[in-house]
Amino acid sequence: MNIKKASELTGVKPENIRYYERVGLIPPVIRNENGVRNFSDIDIGWIKFSKHMRDAGVGTEALIDYISLFQKGDASNIQSRKEILQGQLDELEERIETMVHARDYLKLKVENYEDIMVPLEKKLQDGNCTVFEEKKEELEWPKR
Amino acid sequence: MNIKKASELTGVKPENIRYYERVGLIPPVIRNENGVRNFSDIDIGWIKFSKHMRDAGVGTEALIDYISLFQKGDASNIQSRKEILQGQLDELEERIETMVHARDYLKLKVENYEDIMVPLEKKLQDGNCTVFEEKKEELEWPKR
DNA sequence: TCTTGCGTTAAAGTGCACTTTAAGGTTTAT
DNA sequence: ATAAACCTTAAAGTGCACTTTAACGCAAGA
């Protein structure tokens, strides 16, 4: 299939599929006699994998290392490949924790916005805008 | 307190605290007669808030809008401010979902790496490196 | 007094991950 | 046969969020 089809199947723009291949985020795609890429289902799988990982915030470097090791097609680096994935998994867990923490904080803040702000409207109208900041401190950061 | 102390308390480098103030990620900090910033606990709170949100991937634009509305110190925009936070909360939820999905996929892949790779070592050693890719397809993407 | 260590600014530089541009080649439909 | 609609590349441009640089000011200690 051509790059347009591959793009439709994966949600990655043709320009970015070429970019992915160029930098090594996917293995090289087989070309026809005119140098036109002919994507296989396996290529589509690789594009989906890289897009999925990128969407989740996994950096290109780790992904490129992984694809690169993979392409050596050598059983001796299975452990290295697994370690790369494990490392990214650990980083992902950490980022998720940070985000969940921020989410909980924002949630608490939004849910209590009216309760805190409405009683303060009068004071704010007097130009005393520091009051909220003092009040805000009552909204403690969610504990670990 | 001076910027160094503020930096120590918040984990944000002095350069970045200045940057935060410059772009509006925190409200302006009161200066002394020489133009030197004197950080209050409230300023520290704002830095922590912005850092926390930035760490969680909240974009600067939304944050700047929020701080900007906040500084108007006007009760009429409480709703707008709440809406900004709600919008960021929604985006955060979505990003968390994407990441949790990727995390689950990676976890499954890492956990099954040996099971899949070890039986394939022989074939891989024969240079048949496409086998894994076929095999890989068995590792389905976790469903929503 | 003068060096050390803190502060300040505007402006330029960096790194990442695309994204666009320019200049072509080929294949398909009218 | 010629225009539209694909494909290709290398290289330059973009946007975000810092990060560094250069040049300066103030204030306390040897």
Side-chain angles (χ1 to χ4, degrees), chain A residues 69-101:
Chain A
L69 281 182
F70 198 91
Q71 281 185 81
K72 295 194 181 122
D74 174 356
S76 74
N77 60 33
I78 289 177
Q79 205 52 37
S80 312
R81 270 136 65 183
K82 192 180 164 181
E83 275 160 18
I84 290 176
L85 296 188
Q86 184 66 58
Q88 294 311 303
L89 183 53
D90 293 346
E91 284 185 25
L92 218 47
E93 298 276 22
E94 221 174 274
R95 279 201 295 281
I96 289 172
E97 238 196 81
T98 299
M99 292 174 72
V100 165
H101 187 199

Short mmCIF file of all heavy atoms in Angstrom, two decimals, chain A residues 69-101:
data_model
loop_
_atom_site.label_atom_id
_atom_site.label_comp_id
_atom_site.label_asym_id
_atom_site.label_seq_id
_atom_site.Cartn_x
_atom_site.Cartn_y
_atom_site.Cartn_z
N LEU A 69 18.08 -1.66 17.68
CA LEU A 69 18.48 -2.98 18.19
C LEU A 69 17.64 -4.06 17.52
O LEU A 69 18.14 -5.11 17.15
CB LEU A 69 18.25 -3.06 19.71
CG LEU A 69 19.31 -2.40 20.60
CD1 LEU A 69 18.96 -2.61 22.05
CD2 LEU A 69 20.69 -2.99 20.31
N PHE A 70 16.38 -3.75 17.38
CA PHE A 70 15.48 -4.71 16.78
C PHE A 70 15.93 -5.11 15.38
O PHE A 70 15.91 -6.27 15.00
CB PHE A 70 14.06 -4.18 16.73
CG PHE A 70 13.09 -5.28 16.52
CD1 PHE A 70 12.54 -5.92 17.61
CD2 PHE A 70 12.80 -5.74 15.24
CE1 PHE A 70 11.69 -7.00 17.44
CE2 PHE A 70 11.96 -6.81 15.06
CZ PHE A 70 11.40 -7.43 16.16
N GLN A 71 16.34 -4.09 14.64
CA GLN A 71 16.72 -4.33 13.26
C GLN A 71 17.96 -5.18 13.10
O GLN A 71 18.17 -5.79 12.05
CB GLN A 71 16.95 -3.00 12.55
CG GLN A 71 15.67 -2.36 12.15
CD GLN A 71 15.98 -1.12 11.37
OE1 GLN A 71 16.26 -1.18 10.18
NE2 GLN A 71 15.97 0.00 12.05
N LYS A 72 18.78 -5.20 14.15
CA LYS A 72 19.96 -6.07 14.07
C LYS A 72 19.50 -7.52 14.01
O LYS A 72 20.28 -8.40 13.64
CB LYS A 72 20.88 -5.80 15.26
CG LYS A 72 21.45 -4.38 15.20
CD LYS A 72 22.61 -4.20 16.16
CE LYS A 72 23.13 -2.77 16.10
NZ LYS A 72 23.09 -2.09 17.39
N GLY A 73 18.23 -7.76 14.39
CA GLY A 73 17.62 -9.07 14.24
C GLY A 73 18.41 -10.17 14.91
O GLY A 73 18.47 -11.30 14.46
N ASP A 74 19.00 -9.82 16.04
CA ASP A 74 19.96 -10.69 16.68
C ASP A 74 19.43 -11.03 18.07
O ASP A 74 19.00 -10.16 18.82
CB ASP A 74 21.27 -9.89 16.75
CG ASP A 74 22.34 -10.60 17.53
OD1 ASP A 74 22.06 -11.69 18.09
OD2 ASP A 74 23.45 -10.05 17.61
N ALA A 75 19.45 -12.29 18.39
CA ALA A 75 18.89 -12.73 19.67
C ALA A 75 19.72 -12.24 20.85
O ALA A 75 19.23 -12.17 21.97
CB ALA A 75 18.80 -14.25 19.71
N SER A 76 20.97 -11.86 20.58
CA SER A 76 21.87 -11.50 21.68
C SER A 76 21.45 -10.22 22.39
O SER A 76 21.88 -9.95 23.49
CB SER A 76 23.30 -11.34 21.16
OG SER A 76 23.39 -10.13 20.41
N ASN A 77 20.62 -9.42 21.74
CA ASN A 77 20.26 -8.16 22.38
C ASN A 77 18.82 -8.13 22.90
O ASN A 77 18.29 -7.08 23.22
CB ASN A 77 20.54 -6.98 21.44
CG ASN A 77 19.73 -7.11 20.16
OD1 ASN A 77 18.63 -7.62 20.17
ND2 ASN A 77 20.28 -6.61 19.07
N ILE A 78 18.22 -9.29 22.99
CA ILE A 78 16.85 -9.36 23.52
C ILE A 78 16.77 -8.69 24.88
O ILE A 78 15.86 -7.91 25.16
CB ILE A 78 16.39 -10.84 23.63
CG1 ILE A 78 16.16 -11.40 22.22
CG2 ILE A 78 15.12 -10.95 24.45
CD1 ILE A 78 15.78 -12.85 22.20
N GLN A 79 17.80 -8.98 25.70
CA GLN A 79 17.80 -8.40 27.04
C GLN A 79 17.87 -6.87 26.98
O GLN A 79 17.15 -6.18 27.69
CB GLN A 79 18.98 -8.98 27.84
CG GLN A 79 18.76 -8.94 29.35
CD GLN A 79 17.42 -9.56 29.77
OE1 GLN A 79 16.97 -10.55 29.20
NE2 GLN A 79 16.76 -8.95 30.76
N SER A 80 18.74 -6.35 26.10
CA SER A 80 18.87 -4.90 25.96
C SER A 80 17.56 -4.28 25.54
O SER A 80 17.15 -3.22 26.04
CB SER A 80 19.92 -4.54 24.91
OG SER A 80 21.10 -5.27 25.13
N ARG A 81 16.91 -4.93 24.58
CA ARG A 81 15.63 -4.41 24.09
C ARG A 81 14.61 -4.38 25.21
O ARG A 81 13.91 -3.39 25.42
CB ARG A 81 15.13 -5.29 22.95
CG ARG A 81 15.62 -4.85 21.59
CD ARG A 81 16.09 -5.96 20.72
NE ARG A 81 15.05 -6.88 20.34
CZ ARG A 81 15.27 -7.97 19.59
NH1 ARG A 81 16.50 -8.24 19.18
NH2 ARG A 81 14.31 -8.76 19.29
N LYS A 82 14.57 -5.47 25.95
CA LYS A 82 13.62 -5.55 27.06
C LYS A 82 13.92 -4.45 28.08
O LYS A 82 13.00 -3.81 28.61
CB LYS A 82 13.73 -6.92 27.73
CG LYS A 82 12.61 -7.19 28.70
CD LYS A 82 12.72 -8.54 29.37
CE LYS A 82 11.82 -8.58 30.58
NZ LYS A 82 11.91 -9.88 31.29
N GLU A 83 15.21 -4.20 28.30
CA GLU A 83 15.59 -3.18 29.27
C GLU A 83 15.16 -1.78 28.83
O GLU A 83 14.76 -0.96 29.65
CB GLU A 83 17.11 -3.21 29.53
CG GLU A 83 17.48 -4.23 30.59
CD GLU A 83 18.94 -4.64 30.54
OE1 GLU A 83 19.75 -3.90 29.93
OE2 GLU A 83 19.28 -5.72 31.08
N ILE A 84 15.26 -1.52 27.54
CA ILE A 84 14.80 -0.22 27.03
C ILE A 84 13.31 -0.06 27.31
O ILE A 84 12.86 0.96 27.83
CB ILE A 84 15.08 -0.09 25.51
CG1 ILE A 84 16.59 0.04 25.26
CG2 ILE A 84 14.35 1.14 24.94
CD1 ILE A 84 16.97 0.09 23.80
N LEU A 85 12.56 -1.09 26.98
CA LEU A 85 11.11 -1.03 27.20
C LEU A 85 10.80 -0.87 28.69
O LEU A 85 9.94 -0.07 29.08
CB LEU A 85 10.42 -2.27 26.65
CG LEU A 85 10.49 -2.48 25.13
CD1 LEU A 85 9.60 -3.63 24.72
CD2 LEU A 85 10.09 -1.22 24.37
N GLN A 86 11.54 -1.62 29.51
CA GLN A 86 11.32 -1.54 30.96
C GLN A 86 11.62 -0.13 31.45
O GLN A 86 10.87 0.42 32.27
CB GLN A 86 12.21 -2.57 31.68
CG GLN A 86 11.97 -2.61 33.19
CD GLN A 86 10.58 -3.12 33.55
OE1 GLN A 86 10.19 -4.21 33.18
NE2 GLN A 86 9.80 -2.30 34.25
N GLY A 87 12.69 0.45 30.95
CA GLY A 87 13.06 1.82 31.34
C GLY A 87 11.98 2.80 30.98
O GLY A 87 11.61 3.66 31.77
N GLN A 88 11.46 2.66 29.77
CA GLN A 88 10.40 3.57 29.34
C GLN A 88 9.13 3.34 30.14
O GLN A 88 8.41 4.29 30.46
CB GLN A 88 10.13 3.40 27.83
CG GLN A 88 11.31 3.84 26.98
CD GLN A 88 11.84 5.20 27.36
OE1 GLN A 88 11.11 6.17 27.35
NE2 GLN A 88 13.12 5.28 27.72
N LEU A 89 8.88 2.09 30.48
CA LEU A 89 7.73 1.75 31.31
C LEU A 89 7.84 2.45 32.66
O LEU A 89 6.88 3.07 33.13
CB LEU A 89 7.69 0.22 31.48
CG LEU A 89 6.53 -0.39 32.24
CD1 LEU A 89 5.20 0.06 31.67
CD2 LEU A 89 6.62 -1.92 32.20
N ASP A 90 9.03 2.39 33.24
CA ASP A 90 9.24 3.03 34.54
C ASP A 90 9.02 4.54 34.45
O ASP A 90 8.37 5.14 35.31
CB ASP A 90 10.66 2.75 35.04
CG ASP A 90 10.88 1.28 35.37
OD1 ASP A 90 9.87 0.54 35.47
OD2 ASP A 90 12.03 0.86 35.52
N GLU A 91 9.57 5.14 33.37
CA GLU A 91 9.40 6.59 33.21
C GLU A 91 7.93 6.96 33.03
O GLU A 91 7.46 7.97 33.54
CB GLU A 91 10.22 7.09 32.02
CG GLU A 91 11.70 7.18 32.33
CD GLU A 91 12.50 7.80 31.19
OE1 GLU A 91 11.90 8.57 30.40
OE2 GLU A 91 13.71 7.52 31.08
N LEU A 92 7.24 6.11 32.30
CA LEU A 92 5.81 6.32 32.06
C LEU A 92 5.05 6.29 33.38
O LEU A 92 4.20 7.16 33.64
CB LEU A 92 5.30 5.23 31.11
CG LEU A 92 4.28 5.61 30.06
CD1 LEU A 92 4.67 6.87 29.33
CD2 LEU A 92 4.10 4.46 29.07
N GLU A 93 5.37 5.31 34.20
CA GLU A 93 4.70 5.19 35.51
C GLU A 93 4.89 6.47 36.31
O GLU A 93 3.96 6.98 36.93
CB GLU A 93 5.30 4.02 36.31
CG GLU A 93 5.16 2.65 35.69
CD GLU A 93 3.82 1.98 35.98
OE1 GLU A 93 2.86 2.69 36.31
OE2 GLU A 93 3.76 0.74 35.88
N GLU A 94 6.13 6.99 36.23
CA GLU A 94 6.44 8.18 37.01
C GLU A 94 5.64 9.39 36.51
O GLU A 94 5.07 10.15 37.29
CB GLU A 94 7.93 8.48 36.91
CG GLU A 94 8.54 8.91 38.23
CD GLU A 94 10.04 9.05 38.11
OE1 GLU A 94 10.77 8.04 38.27
OE2 GLU A 94 10.48 10.19 37.82
N ARG A 95 5.62 9.53 35.18
CA ARG A 95 4.87 10.66 34.61
C ARG A 95 3.39 10.54 34.91
O ARG A 95 2.73 11.54 35.19
CB ARG A 95 5.09 10.71 33.09
CG ARG A 95 6.40 11.39 32.71
CD ARG A 95 6.37 11.89 31.28
NE ARG A 95 6.26 10.82 30.30
CZ ARG A 95 7.27 10.08 29.90
NH1 ARG A 95 8.48 10.26 30.41
NH2 ARG A 95 7.10 9.14 29.00
N ILE A 96 2.88 9.32 34.87
CA ILE A 96 1.46 9.12 35.18
C ILE A 96 1.19 9.57 36.62
O ILE A 96 0.21 10.26 36.88
CB ILE A 96 1.04 7.65 34.97
CG1 ILE A 96 1.01 7.34 33.47
CG2 ILE A 96 -0.33 7.38 35.60
CD1 ILE A 96 0.79 5.86 33.14
N GLU A 97 2.11 9.22 37.52
CA GLU A 97 1.92 9.61 38.92
C GLU A 97 1.88 11.12 39.08
O GLU A 97 1.02 11.67 39.76
CB GLU A 97 3.04 9.01 39.78
CG GLU A 97 2.52 8.13 40.89
CD GLU A 97 3.58 7.87 41.93
OE1 GLU A 97 3.78 8.75 42.79
OE2 GLU A 97 4.22 6.79 41.88
N THR A 98 2.83 11.79 38.42
CA THR A 98 2.88 13.27 38.46
C THR A 98 1.56 13.85 37.96
O THR A 98 1.00 14.78 38.56
CB THR A 98 4.01 13.78 37.54
OG1 THR A 98 5.24 13.26 38.01
CG2 THR A 98 4.06 15.31 37.51
N MET A 99 1.07 13.28 36.87
CA MET A 99 -0.14 13.82 36.26
C MET A 99 -1.37 13.53 37.08
O MET A 99 -2.26 14.37 37.19
CB MET A 99 -0.28 13.28 34.84
CG MET A 99 0.81 13.83 33.94
SD MET A 99 0.79 13.10 32.32
CE MET A 99 -0.66 13.87 31.64
N VAL A 100 -1.42 12.35 37.67
CA VAL A 100 -2.57 12.01 38.51
C VAL A 100 -2.60 12.94 39.72
O VAL A 100 -3.66 13.43 40.12
CB VAL A 100 -2.49 10.52 38.95
CG1 VAL A 100 -3.43 10.25 40.11
CG2 VAL A 100 -2.79 9.61 37.77
N HIS A 101 -1.42 13.22 40.23
CA HIS A 101 -1.30 14.12 41.37
C HIS A 101 -1.83 15.51 41.00
O HIS A 101 -2.64 16.10 41.71
CB HIS A 101 0.17 14.17 41.79
CG HIS A 101 0.43 14.92 43.05
ND1 HIS A 101 1.67 15.41 43.37
CD2 HIS A 101 -0.37 15.29 44.06
CE1 HIS A 101 1.61 16.03 44.52
NE2 HIS A 101 0.38 15.97 44.98
#
